[in-house]
Amino acid sequence: MSRIAYVNGQYVRHADAAVHVEDRGYQFADGVYEVCEVWQGKIVDMPRHLDRLNRSLNELQIDWPMARSAVEFVIRQVIRRNRVVNGLVYIQVTRGVAKRDHFFPAEDVAPSIVVTAKPTSPAASQVQADKGIAVVSYPENRWPRVDIKTIALLPNVLAKQHAKENGGKEAWYTDADGNVTEGGSTNAWIVTKEGALVTRPADNGILRGITRAVVLDLVQKEGLTFDERPFSLDEAFEAKEAFVTAASTLVMPVTRIDGKIIGNGHPGSVATRLRELFHTATDLQTA
């Protein structure tokens, strides 16, 4: 079956989908995006994702390309037309098509929108979670406003490629003080030897992950000890557990950091439990 994409008002074959050469997303990375999980035919936490999309658009002074309800309709249509039961749906909005100029274009230039969806394998993801992943540290190389979910991801690409070339599945950014900020496409967590979950505060220095927010809900529901603060690589090396969170990974245990074994070298009980409970704490809407 051919994949279907939505591009600026039209549903087209994925192979034929294209944007204008002077789209500001292509010229300046002048846009934002969101990724939602699709699980068992349900869209996971769509309201939270679209709330964050709204925040990103506002921060960059980009208008919605259409009414929010219309975006929700398109998301569902793209999922259905691609027959995605378990997978991911991607929404990208740019400032639109205009003559290349650093200044914002005229107000009558409409924002561009692209929506795509693809299937993923929960079984394959679980195999990875049962084993755990390795992460590799990388010096922070991004602009200060990483709380805005922009499409300007070249720094993340470089960090994740560095991780791949050094045996890692994910990169962990470290700031000038030697503290972990977040992953190249995930939020970073540790569990201390005392059993406290630790992750960096969601200020402007990290992305306010939706999966992160769900895990925080679970932490409260399960009565787990939580400490929202920075943590160093050295503290991570000595942690009982480590894991990352994102819509594309859910709760993914980390068993190695910079080649060092974390805990006993196997996924920890806290991360495993949070992964098992994850979808019980999410907002699930029919696709």
Side-chain angles (χ1 to χ4, degrees), residues 13 59 86-87 137 156 170 180 230 245 258 264:
R13 287 197 328 132
E59 290 293 318
N86 295 294
S137 62
N156 307 67
E170 174 63 301
V180 175
T245 55
D258 286 346
N264 63 6

Side-chain angles (χ1 to χ4, degrees), residues 103-227:
F103 298 112
F104 289 178
E107 292 183 0
D108 61 351
V109 172
S112 299
I113 180 170
V114 171
V115 182
T116 58
K118 66 178 182 180
T120 58
S121 171
S125 179
Q126 188 58 49
V127 168
Q128 191 171 66
D130 290 340
K131 181 180 179 181
I133 65 169
V135 303
V136 177
S137 62
Y138 192 82
E140 183 64 73
N141 65 344
R142 302 171 297 171
W143 76 319
R145 293 304 309 277
V146 295
D147 57 300
I148 305 171
K149 198 170 178 68
T150 75
I151 60 175
L153 294 174
L154 180 57
N156 307 67
V157 168
L158 296 176
K160 290 180 76 75
Q161 181 64 23
H162 173 78
K164 180 180 180 180
E165 293 173 355
N166 288 274
K169 183 70 174 179
E170 174 63 301
W172 270 11
Y173 282 114
T174 55
D175 64 19
D177 297 321
N179 292 322
V180 175
T181 54
E182 61 183 337
S185 58
T186 60
N187 288 127
W189 303 68
I190 61 171
V191 180
T192 67
K193 290 181 178 179
E194 294 74 29
L197 281 83
V198 182
T199 193
R200 193 180 183 97
D203 52 20
N204 289 349
I206 70 168
L207 183 70
R208 302 175 186 185
I210 304 304
T211 305
R212 176 187 184 277
V214 173
V215 170
L216 290 178
D217 291 343
L218 280 172
V219 166
Q220 183 176 17
K221 182 180 178 180
E222 294 294 302
L224 300 174
T225 303
F226 173 61
D227 193 1

Side-chain angles (χ1 to χ4, degrees), residues 234-249:
D234 286 339
E235 188 175 5
F237 294 149
E238 298 299 321
K240 183 179 179 181
E241 298 182 36
F243 60 93
V244 297
T245 55
S248 58
T249 62

